[in-house]
Amino acid sequence: EIKDKSKLLDARRLIETKMEQFKVCERETKTKAYSREGLAKASRLDPEEKKRAEMRDWIQEKLQEIQDQVEMKEADIEALTTKKGKKDQNAIGEALEMIARHTWHIEQLEMVTRALDNCIIGPEEVEEVKDEIEYYIESNQDPDFYHDDQLYEQLELERKLGESGQIVTVDVVVPEKNKKKDKDDDMSNS
């Protein structure tokens, strides 16, 4: 006979609650993806995950827009190189510079996506550079467009991805034309 049954009752309650928790967990894991319950469960994302998914979709959309611009520039180069007679080397050079710049932005956005997926940065951090990214995509063809090669610096991707164990190497490609233009602007402002 046990005189003090309070410890025994406490242990029994603890076991019962753990069994209930396990039962719920088991039910969730055994739910088929396309059952009524599974489809309802899929629509119940937590708000943070929903924001992440929306930001990921936005980034993918912007990546596609930049990729489309790269393909247009490649088509322009193809047209310029197949043209008989005088080939416009300046136009080809400018198109190649633009492709290099677009490729750099694609790499940066892919790093942002990776960091977002791995919860290294949050959607609110990406929100801070969203306007600048859209400005780049919409206005990079303008003759007076200023390319901000430090656009992604505030996200500190290299440091954060490096700390998380994901090695990152980023080569910044700054076309010579913009460097010269920036120097000219600096001299005219003096």
Side-chain angles (χ1 to χ4, degrees):
E1 284 289 318
I2 300 174
K3 292 183 181 179
D4 187 19
K5 294 185 181 184
S6 65
K7 288 184 181 179
L8 192 58
L9 290 173
D10 288 343
R12 182 178 177 183
R13 280 190 215 107
L14 179 63
I15 291 171
E16 288 174 352
T17 57
K18 294 292 182 184
M19 286 175 65
E20 285 297 319
Q21 289 175 346
F22 176 73
K23 207 184 290 184
V24 169
C25 177
E26 188 178 33
R27 192 177 313 126
E28 287 180 4
T29 57
K30 288 186 175 183
T31 303
K32 292 188 174 32
Y34 294 104
S35 67
R36 217 177 299 144
E37 295 161 13
L39 292 172
K41 180 181 162 190
S43 66
R44 285 185 264 142
L45 287 175
D46 66 0
E48 180 67 23
E49 193 57 38
K50 190 174 182 179
K51 287 179 187 174
R52 253 179 223 293
E54 289 172 357
M55 190 58 70
R56 189 178 313 108
D57 292 343
W58 179 83
I59 292 171
Q60 293 304 318
E61 179 184 314
K62 297 306 163 189
L63 278 168
Q64 186 59 49
E65 289 179 25
I66 295 174
Q67 191 61 43
D68 291 344
Q69 289 182 5
V70 167
E71 290 172 6
M72 287 174 48
K73 285 296 176 188
E74 288 172 345
D76 290 348
I77 291 173
E78 185 69 28
L80 289 170
T81 56
T82 58
K83 189 189 298 185
K84 291 186 178 182
K86 182 181 172 187
K87 294 181 182 176
D88 190 359
Q89 294 300 325
N90 288 337
I92 293 173
E94 288 175 10
L96 289 172
E97 288 176 12
M98 186 65 74
I99 289 173
R101 194 176 304 142
H102 286 337
T103 303
W104 181 77
H105 277 278
I106 289 170
E107 291 169 358
Q108 294 296 309
L109 286 172
E110 287 172 348
M111 280 195 326
V112 170
T113 304
R114 190 172 343 128
L116 190 64
D117 287 344
N118 295 330
C119 299
I120 296 169
I121 61 172
E124 56 282 343
E125 291 176 84
V126 180
E127 191 74 40
E128 294 174 9
V129 295
K130 195 173 177 179
D131 290 338
E132 288 91 346
I133 293 169
E134 287 186 359
Y135 170 71
Y136 171 77
I137 293 170
E138 293 169 4
S139 304
N140 64 52
Q141 304 289 330
D142 295 344
D144 59 341
F145 173 75
Y146 171 74
H147 179 254
D148 183 7
D149 60 350
Q150 296 178 354
L151 170 68
Y152 303 94
E153 291 291 319
Q154 64 189 8
L155 295 176
E156 299 178 332
L157 290 174
E158 292 180 43
R159 183 184 63 78
K160 290 178 180 178
L161 288 172
E163 288 174 359
S164 72
Q166 298 181 20
I167 311 260
V168 177
T169 57
V170 178
D171 296 327
V172 178
V173 177
V174 180
E176 295 299 319
K177 185 177 181 183
N178 283 351
K179 286 183 181 177
K180 183 179 176 186
K181 186 177 181 180
D182 292 343
K183 287 179 185 175
D184 292 342
D185 291 342
D186 290 342
M187 288 181 187
S188 65
N189 291 336
S190 298

